[in-house]
Amino acid sequence: MRILVTGATGQVGGALAARLQGLPGGAAIIAADRATLDLAQPQRITATLDRLAPALIINAAAYTAVEKAEDEPALAMRINAEAPGAIARWAASRAVPFVQFSTDYVFDGAGAKPWREDDPARPLSAYGASKLAGEAAIRAAGGAFLIVRTSWVYAARGDNFLRTIVPLARERTELRIVVDQVGAPTSAALIADAVAEILAAGADNLRRRFAEADGLVHLAASGETSRHGFACAIVAGLKARGVALAVEKITPIGSDEYPTRARRPHNSRLDLTRLKKIFGVTPPDWQSALAAELDQVARELSGSAAAT
Ligand SMILES: NC(=O)c1ccc[n+]([C@@H]2O[C@H](COP(=O)([O-])OP(=O)(O)OC[C@H]3O[C@@H](n4cnc5c(N)ncnc54)[C@H](OP(=O)(O)O)[C@@H]3O)[C@@H](O)[C@H]2O)c1
């Protein structure tokens, strides 16, 4: 099967392009970067997809700069809503299954209950609004699609919370981290494993299950923590791996003490019942997924220390 994975230079796209090579029955992965398929130019998408002729499309490319999206909402909309809509229309017209990623930021974060797929979405940010508009554009196109909402994505590489904490913990004695945002840190590798498990069902089962899930599923690591709890686990995990850190204290602060342009949900918990029931996928807890990434970070840091 020819599988097109967009966003191949990103966290999730990169992990998926590597992971799907090992799908049972074999898969030819077309790992597309923005030079191959530029989502900022939705009008070119049909011609590019005609040329690439995939049998399955996974769109892991997105405008993910949450703060910057407040300044360029139109560009975020083009990349996160118009372009996925164009991909979905192409896929629907050729009966090609389509997998899209979305986000916990479509919710307003009220309450403390894990969000179910059919809970009302009320984004607080331009980024969240653009991702929700993308969901609607895909739904309007019809066809066999699955929108996978995930949360707090990170990896040993890339631009993410883990990669932000590592240098800070090496330089500063105190970190001040938001404690009133709760969710599940989800590694790109965990997402790639879960998507591979979903796809292993085969094309016919895929269409049936996508429909059974009403084209929408939540996928995150099991368990929950705050941003502060995540930072504490990163620091403790690095220390346990012998990484020298300057940090002595990690102070919990409220979101109001760390103002950002984009508002983020306090409650990012995602309910995983549909994922387990329809797709038979039970994700590992966030701590074990983190351990695998920390092993990699610690290896790299000890490698760079040895080289200096
Ligand atoms: N990061 C999170 O915390 C998070 C949380 C929930 C959901 N998600 C969703 O999960 C998915 C994957 O996110 P991620 O964390 O892997 O993102 P990421 O690491 O920021 O990667 C984004 C990817 O999109 C590509 N891209 C950006 N603009 C593009 C354009 N105009 N045309 C083509 N490609 C373009 C980037 O290419 P370049 O390398 O060239 O920039 C990169 O490959 C996205 O749908 C995102 O909305 C992410």
Side-chain angles (χ1 to χ4, degrees):
M1 173 151 51
R2 278 170 72 77
I3 304 179
L4 172 65
V5 179
T6 68
T9 55
Q11 305 183 81
V12 172
L16 270 168
R19 177 67 180 79
L20 296 182
Q21 311 274 3
L23 267 190
I29 308 299
I30 313 163
D33 60 10
R34 73 166 76 207
T36 308
L37 188 71
D38 184 358
L39 298 194
Q41 305 197 46
Q43 71 284 2
R44 294 202 182 161
I45 284 174
T46 301
T48 305
L49 292 178
D50 278 342
R51 182 169 54 77
L52 297 174
L56 171 75
I57 302 174
I58 305 178
N59 180 31
Y63 183 110
T64 55
V66 176
E67 290 300 300
K68 218 167 145 207
E70 298 296 318
D71 295 321
E72 19 184 64
L75 181 59
M77 259 318 163
R78 196 163 356 125
I79 293 172
N80 289 347
E82 272 179 55
I87 298 173
R89 284 190 293 279
W90 185 93
S93 70
R94 280 138 181 104
V96 167
F98 177 36
V99 178
Q100 159 80 3
F101 290 97
S102 191
T103 169
D104 55 304
Y105 283 21
V106 299
F107 294 115
D108 65 9
K113 267 175 51 187
W115 295 101
R116 292 161 48 111
E117 286 81 354
D118 47 10
D119 283 332
R122 287 190 208 93
L124 302 173
S125 62
Y127 165 74
S130 71
K131 295 295 291 184
L132 185 61
E135 293 187 11
I138 291 167
R139 201 164 277 288
F145 64 87
L146 184 68
I147 296 160
V148 179
R149 288 190 189 134
T150 188
S151 68
W152 296 16
V153 179
Y154 70 96
R157 297 215 172 87
D159 185 11
N160 57 60
F161 189 85
L162 166 62
R163 297 299 318 190
T164 304
I165 292 295
V166 171
L168 291 177
R170 298 177 83 199
E171 287 155 20
R172 298 189 188 171
T173 54
E174 183 187 2
L175 303 181
R176 293 164 57 77
I177 309 288
V178 169
V179 75
D180 56 5
Q181 291 172 21
V182 174
T186 303
S187 73
L190 183 155
I191 295 171
D193 284 346
V195 170
E197 217 176 316
I198 290 172
L199 298 183
D204 289 342
N205 281 328
L206 217 59
R207 286 190 180 82
R208 187 176 48 75
R209 287 186 189 173
F210 284 9
E212 209 182 322
D214 191 28
L216 182 60
V217 73
H218 288 173
L219 161 60
S222 296
E224 64 178 57
T225 188
S226 64
R227 301 261 183 201
H228 176 263
F230 188 25
C232 290
I234 292 168
V235 166
L238 289 175
K239 283 186 176 166
R241 285 164 180 78
V243 176
L245 299 176
V247 67
E248 290 159 7
K249 190 173 168 200
I250 308 176
T251 307
I253 61 166
S255 299
D256 53 342
E257 293 177 77
Y258 186 74
T260 53
R261 291 216 48 208
R263 285 175 65 208
R264 288 165 171 76
H266 288 291
N267 172 22
S268 279
R269 298 171 181 90
L270 294 177
D271 184 294
L272 304 179
T273 310
R274 189 177 285 183
L275 178 73
K276 293 175 190 166
K277 226 164 117 184
I278 296 179
F279 297 100
V281 174
T282 302
D285 59 47
W286 65 269
Q287 293 95 331
S288 53
L290 175 61
E293 301 304 311
L294 289 179
D295 285 345
Q296 206 174 316
V297 172
R299 259 196 315 273
E300 277 165 25
L301 289 176
S302 62
S304 61
T308 52

